[in-house]
Amino acid sequence: MDLDFSAEDLAFREEVRSFIAANFDDDMRAKMTQSKNGHIDKAGQVRWLKRLHEKGWIVPDWPVEYGGTGWAAAQKYIYDMEMALAGAPSTGNMGIRMCAPVVMAFGTPEQKAQHLPKILATDVWWCQGYSEPGSGSDLASLAMKAERDGDDYVLNGSKTWTTYGQWADWMFCLVRTSQEPIRQMGISFLLLDMKSPGITIQPIRTLDGPPQGDQEVNQVFFDNVRVPVSNRIGEEGQGWTYAKYLLQFERGNAYAPGLTNQLAKVRKIAGLERADDGQRVLDDPDFRRKLSEVQIKVEALNATELRVFAGRAAGEAMGATSSMLKLEGSQMQQAITELALEAVGVYAQPFVEDTWAHLRGETNVPRAGPDYAATVAPMYFNYRKTSIYAGSNEIQHNIMAKMVLGL
């Protein structure tokens, strides 16, 4: 693939930069700088996504007929990299990135008309109902029942690790509609309104503490929750097929742009902080070696992603490649947070539970060290999850061994 930018590509890059300068406002910038998990509050994310929607840039990966941009690979690369380097909020929420592709591929015309325009306009926030207590990477063991009662399913059970479930208007959910000898059978894919009677959301406190008062993950309980059969995607008992299709989009993301931005932050911190000998951390040979090793891997991942996404644009299926990207991307995310923790040194030890407190004018909350130190330890702890969610790294290794190596 030709990676030399044309004059049109360079003009597009300037357009992206101008858009970011005009629309990535000071409030968003401040919150992103002090974010412990790479996200900001719901109001800020919705504001950002709606501005992208007005520009026509919110879903560059969608087909043009549903609102996609139709960009060439070079434009998509420029867009992703410029957004990441600016530290802008992610556009990959669960409605856009995961639910919508399944609705496009397997939904009825009525389901497409009901849900896709609202996802596009960020009028509805979605969460994912996959994992259960005792059913995570072994997703086929899920047990939440959906029993048919006339034109409804009646749901009983619970889902866990539900990211931003407290924000969600709707959930896409895997449920067990029958017991089969092969566990992957008997699973169905439902879309459900989170305001339905019988749903209870309970927050889960994680190692990084409550993110600015909005916990990131939850457990969701279902007590005789009625969901119309018309909300089922595709055929009953075929949810595993649709779930595997969705996981290609959950796992097969572009990691390199965000990793590039994170590495730049680590390099900046290491250039400011001092090692035990009084010299800059960045001048320490061992630290520079580790930083260079991660930089090389990120560049290799970037080249691989460009090749893969160019193939997708040409109609090639991602398949097991999504597992490779998820595996390497999550490992690099963790490695960079480890380097950041090393670079910031003792300033990471005082744990700042609410890193947005001073943005709200709560100046009575003391801090040790510079502002950039406050998020380093929380992000380190938060990113321990990356090798577990969307299928653990061990699961990704098994997928690649079976589907790529034929073992």
Side-chain angles (χ1 to χ4, degrees), residues 116-347:
L116 294 180
K118 293 179 181 178
I119 294 174
L120 185 67
T122 321
D123 289 336
V124 172
W125 197 274
W126 287 78
C127 66
Q128 181 183 45
Y130 272 26
S131 295
E132 299 177 5
S135 180
S137 291
D138 183 18
L139 189 57
S141 66
L142 68 89
M144 191 169 101
K145 290 183 179 180
E147 297 177 317
R148 185 75 177 260
D149 182 21
D151 292 333
D152 293 336
Y153 289 109
V154 180
L155 276 56
N156 283 284
S158 73
K159 295 293 180 178
T160 196
W161 309 121
T162 309
T163 302
Y164 294 127
Q166 77 276 20
W167 293 356
D169 304 295
W170 280 71
M171 170 188 281
F172 54 93
C173 186
L174 290 179
V175 296
R176 187 161 296 282
T177 45
S178 65
Q179 297 292 335
E180 307 290 345
I182 300 175
R183 295 184 305 169
Q184 287 81 356
M185 300 176 64
I187 295 174
S188 297
F189 194 113
L190 299 182
L191 310 179
L192 60 93
D193 188 336
M194 290 292 284
K195 296 185 293 296
S196 302
I199 293 179
T200 303
I201 302 172
Q202 180 175 309
I204 298 174
R205 184 179 178 118
T206 51
L207 277 173
D208 57 325
Q212 294 74 238
D214 288 317
Q215 80 278 357
E216 188 176 3
V217 290
N218 307 266
Q219 186 166 359
V220 183
F221 297 90
F222 298 81
D223 181 13
N224 290 322
V225 176
R226 302 187 75 88
V227 178
V229 173
S230 59
N231 285 14
R232 187 188 69 223
I233 293 289
E235 299 178 22
E236 183 172 284
Q238 295 300 308
W240 188 254
T241 298
Y242 313 138
K244 288 193 297 181
Y245 179 81
L246 182 150
L247 285 172
Q248 294 184 40
F249 298 93
E250 183 177 14
R251 295 169 180 166
N253 301 310
Y255 286 90
L259 294 172
T260 300
N261 183 40
Q262 292 171 30
L263 267 178
K265 291 179 180 178
V266 171
R267 187 177 294 275
K268 181 179 179 179
I269 292 172
L272 295 170
E273 295 298 325
R274 300 289 167 174
D276 293 340
D277 60 2
Q279 299 299 311
R280 298 187 311 163
V281 174
L282 191 59
D283 294 329
D284 177 76
D286 186 54
F287 184 87
R288 289 178 67 87
R289 175 186 58 78
K290 288 183 284 188
L291 187 66
S292 297
E293 288 174 350
V294 173
Q295 179 74 56
I296 291 168
K297 290 182 178 180
V298 170
E299 292 295 338
L301 180 62
N302 186 40
T304 302
E305 288 178 350
L306 287 171
R307 175 176 54 81
V308 169
F309 296 139
R312 279 182 61 190
E316 297 176 10
M318 181 171 287
T321 305
S322 63
S323 291
M324 178 183 66
L325 297 181
K326 196 275 176 181
L327 176 67
E328 189 65 15
S330 62
Q331 290 178 160
M332 288 304 96
Q333 286 176 324
Q334 292 182 341
I336 291 172
T337 62
E338 291 162 10
L339 285 174
L341 197 68
E342 181 177 348
V344 84
V346 296
Y347 290 133

Side-chain angles (χ1 to χ4, degrees), residues 21-36:
N23 292 277
F24 186 24
D25 61 48
D26 291 343
D27 177 69
M28 294 180 200
R29 289 178 185 273
K31 287 180 177 176
M32 283 297 292
T33 299
Q34 289 294 294
S35 173
K36 298 191 296 183

